[in-house]
Every structure is written in C-alpha cells, then in structure tokens.
Amino acid sequence: MVKRKYDAIVIGGGPGGSAASTFLAKKGYSILLLEKERFPRFHVGESLIPGALELLWELGVDEEVERAGFIHKPGGNLATRLGEYVKFDLTLIADQLRRPYSYEVLRSTFDQILLNHSRAHGVEVQEECRVEEVLMVDGRAVGVAYRSARGREGRVHAPMIIDASGRDTVLARRLRMKRKDPVLNKVSAFAHFTGVRRDPGPAEGNLIIAMFPHGWFWIIPLAGEATSIGVVVDVSYAKAFPGGMASLFADAIRQCPFVADRMRAATQVTKLYVTSDLAYQSKRFAGDGFILVGDAGLFIDPIYSAGVYLALKTGKLAAELIDHAFKAGDFSAATFRPYGETILREAEVIYQQVCGWYRFMNNEKRVERLVPLMVRFTSIRRNFTMLFSGMYDQIDPDRVAFAQMLKDPLYRGGQTCGQEAVATR
Ligand SMILES: Cc1cc2nc3c(=O)[nH]c(=O)nc-3n(C[C@H](O)[C@H](O)[C@H](O)COP(=O)(O)OP(=O)(O)OC[C@H]3O[C@@H](n4cnc5c(N)ncnc54)[C@H](O)[C@@H]3O)c2cc1C
C-alpha cells in the first residue's frame, strides 16, 4: 500500500489556516498548507480582542507575538455622533485576562509569525500556490488542484480538506453554500496613514470607534508611524453617493469632526482598499471530508473586532474534530456536526449584539441617555469592555445600569433582526 503523504490539506495561510494546521501538527498529523500569496502581504483586521491572546497562548506563539513589538491595546474610545467620548478599559476586566491588554497588529507581520510557527511545527507550507479547485468524488472532498505563481500545476489528495481561504470562500462558492446577509449589508473603505494624532502615553494604543451620521470609523494605531483608518457604511448609502469610494471616504472624514481633527496632518501611505458584502455565512460549515475555518465559513461585521479571534478559535475547534475523525476513521459530515453547532451558537450571540449596536447607535436619544451613565458608572464601562473583548456571554444585563441599554426595546430589536437573518441564511 502506498503511504499517505498528507493527512490534511489547508487552503490559505491566514490566522485560521495557520491555527488549524499548527494544532493538527502538534497532534502528529502531516499537513500541507497552500497559500496563494507570498507573505508578508497586506491584510485588514488589525485590532485583536483579548480572546485572541488566549488562543495565541494555546498555540504556543504568544511570547513571539509579544516580542514582535506590536502596540499594546489597553482598551478603546468611543466617539459618538453627539461628540461624547467614553472609554472601554481592559484593566476593568483584568481579573479575567491573561494580560491586561491586547494588541493592535500589522497583519502582514502577525500572519507571517503565525505561519512560520506552523512551519516550525512541521507543516509543509507552499506560498504563491493557489488552490484552483477542490476535487470532489460523490459529494466528498478528496483533494485539491493547484497552480503555482510559476505556472506549475498539480493535484494532491488527503482525507481532510480544510478551507481557510478567508473572504475568497473557495468551498462555499464552489458548493453554492454562500449566503449574503440581508440585514448587515455594508461596505468598507480603508487605508494606512502616517501623521495621525494619537493619545499620549499608554493610551496611544487604544482602538477608536467614531460614529458619524452614515456609519462609523475605526482608528487603529500601529507600531511605528502607521495608523489604520477605515469607514463602514450601508451599501445603499454608498450606491447613492455621487462619486466613488475615495470621495465617499474623504466626505465621511469631513462629516466626522473627531476623525478630521486626528487626521489634520495625515498622509495616506497605502492604496485605499474597498471591501463590500461584509456579512455572509455558509449554509454548512463542514461536509464529507471538508471543514470551513474562519472567514471561509462566515463573517459578521467588523464593529467588535472579533474576526481574528473567530478564525483562531474555529481553527482550534476544527483541529479537535478532525483529530476525532481520524481516531474514529469517519470523515463524514455527521462527525463534524458539533462543529457547525458550536459556531452557530457563538455567531448568533455576536450577530444579535451587532444588530443591537447599529440600532442603538443610530438613535441619538438613546445614545444621549447612555453616555452619561457610561461616564459615571464603572460597572457599565466594565460590561461595555466585555462587549468589545469577545465575552458576549458574560455581560450581565440585570446587575448594572448597562441593563438600560440591553433592555431598551430598540436595542433588543437586534434579536428580531438576528432571527430574520437566520431564517434567510
Ligand atoms: C473591513 C474589515 C475590518 C476588520 N477589522 C478587524 C479587526 O479590527 N480585528 C479583527 O480581529 N478582525 C477584523 N476583521 C476580520 C479579519 O480580517 C478576518 O476575520 C480574519 O483575517 C480571518 O482570518 P482567516 O484566516 O479566516 O482569513 P484570512 O486572514 O483572509 O486568510 C485567508 C488566506 O487564504 C489565502 N487564499 C485565499 N484563496 C486562496 C486559494 N484559492 N488558494 C490558496 N490560498 C488562498 C489568502 O491569500 C489569505 O492569506 C475585519 C474585516 C474587515 C472586512
């Protein structure tokens, strides 16, 4: 019998792909990872929530990430449309964290550290090697066809195919499983800038969310001079806007005095990237011989900065289920059912919070009531901090005045919103 060369093939070397491969390699499996780009490569998604740090620790790469010198993120500031300026502060939940901060990372460097870490654990990584097709036999994934940047083509087989191709969603497209979200229909434009004014001292690393009448901005300070700035608006607003995304971006800055003030001396140092169809989900997260990890399976919204955390977490979960499948000798969809159920449970919580957030923040009266409470009560800021840290299940709606936000009929509208979307997904 010919010895099998690979136990699993991973499509994509972002945080999801590298996490899944490292966790599997640590268990002794032989992994081939194919990545279409040459790293380091630009990627959006620079603000990490504390949950991600826990997974970096489990991967055994946390010290290396710390040594890379990324800016520490002690929390964040929210500038509402009414101009208030309130803080979420990770020291308020330090008792629940491994470190009382998170990171703002240059993704090109961060993703490369994680991919090199996979290599160090024995994962065979081939960069500039695009998966052109997932090979299927009777509905079961059996391998991939690839093409290298130099035009070399090949086919390779394995019992498990892990799709971690991010927004390219290789398998969800191929199997027509991808569903756009009908509610969170948004588009984003973003770039890196130098010369953006920062808060002094350790507050320099705070994530800033700034609301304006048609959406919101992120300002993410990176190590050195660069700052990532992006705007998120409804697709309907972008379509009706007279001019392209570059003029929409410039106009949005003018409409948001808080951002305009920070950017007075700013210079754009990357091109302006545009990403549309922000929210989507695959109908299934696994099938016979395949599993979807990270953005390849779903993306909800960037507001809570949960993407990298979810990619690492689904990478870990996928590795656990695949290990189980090898031990049982069963790579059928049924083996992976708990995987999809776990993802949907967490995704639903996030989805409701995201819908609630938009409904709440778009209502000036509610914001006007909440902000003074947030400034006054630590307990409210603590809950707000948990919301921006990925601790969605731990927010206590009954204990503190933050309940006023969660109990608000408008805010709770997010639940209806989530259910509608689930029904149509
Ligand atoms: C506007 C915006 C803002 C965001 N902000 C944040 C944030 O602040 N914090 C946060 O945590 N997350 C954020 N995210 C989300 C975050 O970027 C993603 O969730 C995260 O990168 C997902 O990791 P991944 O490994 O699943 O996919 P990716 O990081 O996208 O990696 C996928 C990899 O697969 C490769 N690939 C694709 N197709 C193929 C193929 N056919 N063959 C081989 N390789 C292939 C790609 O080159 C890529 O390297 C944001 C997202 C958007 C859109």
Side-chain angles (χ1 to χ4, degrees), residues 274-308:
V274 175
T275 303
S276 57
D277 294 336
L278 281 189
Y280 60 84
Q281 182 178 313
S282 172
K283 261 203 310 192
R284 288 186 292 144
F285 294 100
D288 293 347
F290 69 84
I291 198 158
L292 313 184
V293 161
D295 283 9
L298 108 163
F299 186 75
I300 302 175
D301 190 271
I303 185 73
Y304 293 132
S305 315
V308 170

Short mmCIF file of all heavy atoms in Angstrom, two decimals, residues 274-308:
data_model
loop_
_atom_site.label_atom_id
_atom_site.label_comp_id
_atom_site.label_asym_id
_atom_site.label_seq_id
_atom_site.Cartn_x
_atom_site.Cartn_y
_atom_site.Cartn_z
N VAL A 274 -11.13 48.59 -0.73
CA VAL A 274 -12.59 48.59 -0.55
C VAL A 274 -13.06 47.15 -0.44
O VAL A 274 -12.66 46.30 -1.24
CB VAL A 274 -13.30 49.28 -1.75
CG1 VAL A 274 -14.82 49.17 -1.61
CG2 VAL A 274 -12.89 50.75 -1.84
N THR A 275 -13.87 46.86 0.60
CA THR A 275 -14.45 45.52 0.76
C THR A 275 -15.96 45.66 0.90
O THR A 275 -16.44 46.36 1.79
CB THR A 275 -13.89 44.84 2.02
OG1 THR A 275 -12.48 44.79 1.92
CG2 THR A 275 -14.41 43.42 2.16
N SER A 276 -16.66 44.98 0.01
CA SER A 276 -18.13 45.04 0.11
C SER A 276 -18.66 43.68 0.56
O SER A 276 -17.88 42.77 0.84
CB SER A 276 -18.73 45.44 -1.23
OG SER A 276 -18.33 44.55 -2.21
N ASP A 277 -19.97 43.53 0.61
CA ASP A 277 -20.60 42.28 1.08
C ASP A 277 -19.94 41.86 2.39
O ASP A 277 -19.49 40.71 2.53
CB ASP A 277 -20.41 41.14 0.06
CG ASP A 277 -21.17 41.44 -1.21
OD1 ASP A 277 -22.14 42.21 -1.14
OD2 ASP A 277 -20.79 40.90 -2.26
N LEU A 278 -19.89 42.75 3.34
CA LEU A 278 -19.16 42.45 4.57
C LEU A 278 -19.70 41.21 5.28
O LEU A 278 -18.94 40.40 5.78
CB LEU A 278 -19.22 43.65 5.52
CG LEU A 278 -18.25 44.80 5.22
CD1 LEU A 278 -18.25 45.80 6.33
CD2 LEU A 278 -16.85 44.29 4.97
N ALA A 279 -21.04 41.07 5.36
CA ALA A 279 -21.60 39.97 6.17
C ALA A 279 -22.14 38.84 5.29
O ALA A 279 -22.91 39.08 4.36
CB ALA A 279 -22.70 40.51 7.06
N TYR A 280 -21.70 37.63 5.59
CA TYR A 280 -22.16 36.44 4.85
C TYR A 280 -21.95 35.21 5.71
O TYR A 280 -21.25 35.25 6.73
CB TYR A 280 -21.39 36.29 3.52
CG TYR A 280 -19.91 36.14 3.75
CD1 TYR A 280 -19.33 34.91 4.05
CD2 TYR A 280 -19.07 37.24 3.70
CE1 TYR A 280 -17.97 34.78 4.30
CE2 TYR A 280 -17.71 37.13 3.95
CZ TYR A 280 -17.18 35.90 4.25
OH TYR A 280 -15.84 35.78 4.51
N GLN A 281 -22.56 34.14 5.27
CA GLN A 281 -22.42 32.88 6.03
C GLN A 281 -22.60 31.71 5.09
O GLN A 281 -23.42 31.78 4.17
CB GLN A 281 -23.49 32.86 7.12
CG GLN A 281 -23.42 31.64 8.00
CD GLN A 281 -24.47 31.68 9.10
OE1 GLN A 281 -24.64 32.70 9.75
NE2 GLN A 281 -25.18 30.60 9.28
N SER A 282 -21.87 30.65 5.32
CA SER A 282 -22.06 29.43 4.53
C SER A 282 -23.24 28.65 5.12
O SER A 282 -23.44 28.64 6.33
CB SER A 282 -20.80 28.57 4.57
OG SER A 282 -21.06 27.33 3.97
N LYS A 283 -24.01 28.02 4.24
CA LYS A 283 -25.16 27.22 4.72
C LYS A 283 -24.69 26.09 5.63
O LYS A 283 -25.35 25.69 6.56
CB LYS A 283 -25.89 26.61 3.51
CG LYS A 283 -27.11 27.40 3.12
CD LYS A 283 -28.13 26.59 2.35
CE LYS A 283 -27.58 25.82 1.17
NZ LYS A 283 -28.60 25.28 0.28
N ARG A 284 -23.51 25.52 5.30
CA ARG A 284 -22.93 24.46 6.14
C ARG A 284 -21.47 24.82 6.44
O ARG A 284 -20.82 25.48 5.63
CB ARG A 284 -22.96 23.12 5.40
CG ARG A 284 -24.34 22.52 5.28
CD ARG A 284 -24.27 21.15 4.66
NE ARG A 284 -23.85 21.18 3.26
CZ ARG A 284 -23.07 20.25 2.69
NH1 ARG A 284 -22.60 19.24 3.38
NH2 ARG A 284 -22.76 20.35 1.41
N PHE A 285 -20.97 24.34 7.57
CA PHE A 285 -19.58 24.63 7.94
C PHE A 285 -18.68 23.41 7.73
O PHE A 285 -17.48 23.48 7.96
CB PHE A 285 -19.49 25.10 9.39
CG PHE A 285 -20.17 26.41 9.61
CD1 PHE A 285 -21.45 26.48 10.14
CD2 PHE A 285 -19.56 27.59 9.23
CE1 PHE A 285 -22.09 27.69 10.32
CE2 PHE A 285 -20.19 28.82 9.39
CZ PHE A 285 -21.47 28.86 9.94
N ALA A 286 -19.29 22.30 7.33
CA ALA A 286 -18.49 21.09 7.08
C ALA A 286 -19.32 20.15 6.22
O ALA A 286 -20.54 20.31 6.08
CB ALA A 286 -18.12 20.42 8.40
N GLY A 287 -18.65 19.16 5.65
CA GLY A 287 -19.34 18.14 4.87
C GLY A 287 -18.43 16.91 4.83
O GLY A 287 -17.46 16.82 5.60
N ASP A 288 -18.70 16.01 3.92
CA ASP A 288 -17.88 14.80 3.85
C ASP A 288 -16.45 15.18 3.43
O ASP A 288 -16.22 15.65 2.31
CB ASP A 288 -18.48 13.82 2.83
CG ASP A 288 -19.83 13.28 3.30
OD1 ASP A 288 -20.17 13.46 4.50
OD2 ASP A 288 -20.55 12.69 2.47
N GLY A 289 -15.52 15.01 4.33
CA GLY A 289 -14.11 15.25 4.01
C GLY A 289 -13.69 16.71 3.99
O GLY A 289 -12.56 17.01 3.61
N PHE A 290 -14.55 17.63 4.40
CA PHE A 290 -14.11 19.04 4.41
C PHE A 290 -14.69 19.81 5.59
O PHE A 290 -15.70 19.44 6.17
CB PHE A 290 -14.46 19.75 3.10
CG PHE A 290 -15.93 19.99 2.87
CD1 PHE A 290 -16.57 21.10 3.41
CD2 PHE A 290 -16.68 19.10 2.09
CE1 PHE A 290 -17.92 21.33 3.19
CE2 PHE A 290 -18.04 19.33 1.87
CZ PHE A 290 -18.66 20.45 2.42
N ILE A 291 -14.01 20.89 5.91
CA ILE A 291 -14.44 21.75 7.01
C ILE A 291 -14.02 23.19 6.68
O ILE A 291 -12.98 23.41 6.05
CB ILE A 291 -13.83 21.23 8.35
CG1 ILE A 291 -14.54 21.77 9.57
CG2 ILE A 291 -12.34 21.49 8.45
CD1 ILE A 291 -14.35 20.90 10.82
N LEU A 292 -14.85 24.16 7.06
CA LEU A 292 -14.55 25.57 6.77
C LEU A 292 -14.11 26.26 8.06
O LEU A 292 -14.77 26.12 9.09
CB LEU A 292 -15.79 26.29 6.23
CG LEU A 292 -16.60 25.61 5.13
CD1 LEU A 292 -17.73 26.53 4.66
CD2 LEU A 292 -15.71 25.26 3.94
N VAL A 293 -13.04 27.03 7.95
CA VAL A 293 -12.47 27.70 9.13
C VAL A 293 -12.43 29.22 8.89
O VAL A 293 -12.16 29.66 7.77
CB VAL A 293 -11.04 27.15 9.39
CG1 VAL A 293 -10.23 28.08 10.26
CG2 VAL A 293 -11.11 25.76 10.02
N GLY A 294 -12.69 30.01 9.93
CA GLY A 294 -12.56 31.46 9.85
C GLY A 294 -13.52 32.07 8.84
O GLY A 294 -14.65 31.63 8.67
N ASP A 295 -13.03 33.11 8.14
CA ASP A 295 -13.87 33.84 7.18
C ASP A 295 -14.35 32.94 6.03
O ASP A 295 -15.27 33.33 5.31
CB ASP A 295 -13.08 35.00 6.56
CG ASP A 295 -12.96 36.19 7.49
OD1 ASP A 295 -13.34 36.06 8.67
OD2 ASP A 295 -12.48 37.25 7.05
N ALA A 296 -13.74 31.80 5.81
CA ALA A 296 -14.20 30.91 4.74
C ALA A 296 -15.60 30.39 5.06
O ALA A 296 -16.35 30.01 4.17
CB ALA A 296 -13.24 29.73 4.57
N GLY A 297 -15.97 30.44 6.35
CA GLY A 297 -17.30 29.95 6.76
C GLY A 297 -18.29 31.06 7.03
O GLY A 297 -19.46 30.94 6.66
N LEU A 298 -17.81 32.12 7.68
CA LEU A 298 -18.73 33.22 7.95
C LEU A 298 -18.00 34.50 8.34
O LEU A 298 -16.87 34.44 8.82
CB LEU A 298 -19.75 32.82 9.04
CG LEU A 298 -19.71 33.38 10.47
CD1 LEU A 298 -21.05 33.11 11.13
CD2 LEU A 298 -18.63 32.76 11.29
N PHE A 299 -18.63 35.62 8.06
CA PHE A 299 -18.13 36.90 8.56
C PHE A 299 -19.34 37.73 8.95
O PHE A 299 -20.31 37.82 8.20
CB PHE A 299 -17.29 37.64 7.51
CG PHE A 299 -16.67 38.88 8.08
CD1 PHE A 299 -15.58 38.79 8.94
CD2 PHE A 299 -17.19 40.13 7.80
CE1 PHE A 299 -15.02 39.93 9.51
CE2 PHE A 299 -16.64 41.27 8.37
CZ PHE A 299 -15.55 41.17 9.22
N ILE A 300 -19.29 38.33 10.16
CA ILE A 300 -20.49 39.02 10.64
C ILE A 300 -20.38 40.52 10.41
O ILE A 300 -21.16 41.10 9.65
CB ILE A 300 -20.75 38.69 12.13
CG1 ILE A 300 -20.89 37.16 12.29
CG2 ILE A 300 -22.03 39.38 12.60
CD1 ILE A 300 -21.03 36.68 13.69
N ASP A 301 -19.42 41.16 11.02
CA ASP A 301 -19.28 42.62 10.92
C ASP A 301 -17.99 42.99 11.65
O ASP A 301 -17.66 42.35 12.64
CB ASP A 301 -20.47 43.31 11.60
CG ASP A 301 -20.53 44.80 11.34
OD1 ASP A 301 -19.91 45.57 12.13
OD2 ASP A 301 -21.15 45.21 10.36
N PRO A 302 -17.31 44.04 11.20
CA PRO A 302 -16.04 44.36 11.90
C PRO A 302 -16.19 45.13 13.21
O PRO A 302 -15.20 45.32 13.90
CB PRO A 302 -15.28 45.20 10.88
CG PRO A 302 -16.24 45.63 9.85
CD PRO A 302 -17.49 44.79 9.96
N ILE A 303 -17.40 45.57 13.59
CA ILE A 303 -17.53 46.51 14.71
C ILE A 303 -16.89 46.00 16.01
O ILE A 303 -16.28 46.76 16.74
CB ILE A 303 -19.00 46.94 14.96
CG1 ILE A 303 -19.09 48.02 16.04
CG2 ILE A 303 -19.91 45.80 15.34
CD1 ILE A 303 -18.63 49.36 15.65
N TYR A 304 -17.00 44.70 16.30
CA TYR A 304 -16.45 44.21 17.57
C TYR A 304 -15.05 43.59 17.42
O TYR A 304 -14.55 42.95 18.35
CB TYR A 304 -17.40 43.18 18.21
CG TYR A 304 -18.71 43.80 18.67
CD1 TYR A 304 -19.92 43.22 18.35
CD2 TYR A 304 -18.72 44.98 19.40
CE1 TYR A 304 -21.12 43.80 18.76
CE2 TYR A 304 -19.91 45.57 19.80
CZ TYR A 304 -21.10 44.98 19.48
OH TYR A 304 -22.27 45.55 19.87
N SER A 305 -14.42 43.74 16.27
CA SER A 305 -13.05 43.25 16.03
C SER A 305 -12.88 41.78 16.40
O SER A 305 -11.85 41.39 16.97
CB SER A 305 -12.02 44.07 16.85
OG SER A 305 -12.26 45.43 16.78
N ALA A 306 -13.87 40.96 16.09
CA ALA A 306 -13.82 39.57 16.54
C ALA A 306 -13.26 38.60 15.48
O ALA A 306 -13.11 37.41 15.76
CB ALA A 306 -15.23 39.12 16.95
N GLY A 307 -12.93 39.11 14.26
CA GLY A 307 -12.59 38.22 13.15
C GLY A 307 -11.39 37.31 13.39
O GLY A 307 -11.46 36.10 13.16
N VAL A 308 -10.28 37.88 13.85
CA VAL A 308 -9.07 37.07 14.05
C VAL A 308 -9.32 36.06 15.18
O VAL A 308 -8.95 34.88 15.08
CB VAL A 308 -7.85 37.96 14.35
CG1 VAL A 308 -6.65 37.13 14.80
CG2 VAL A 308 -7.49 38.78 13.12
#
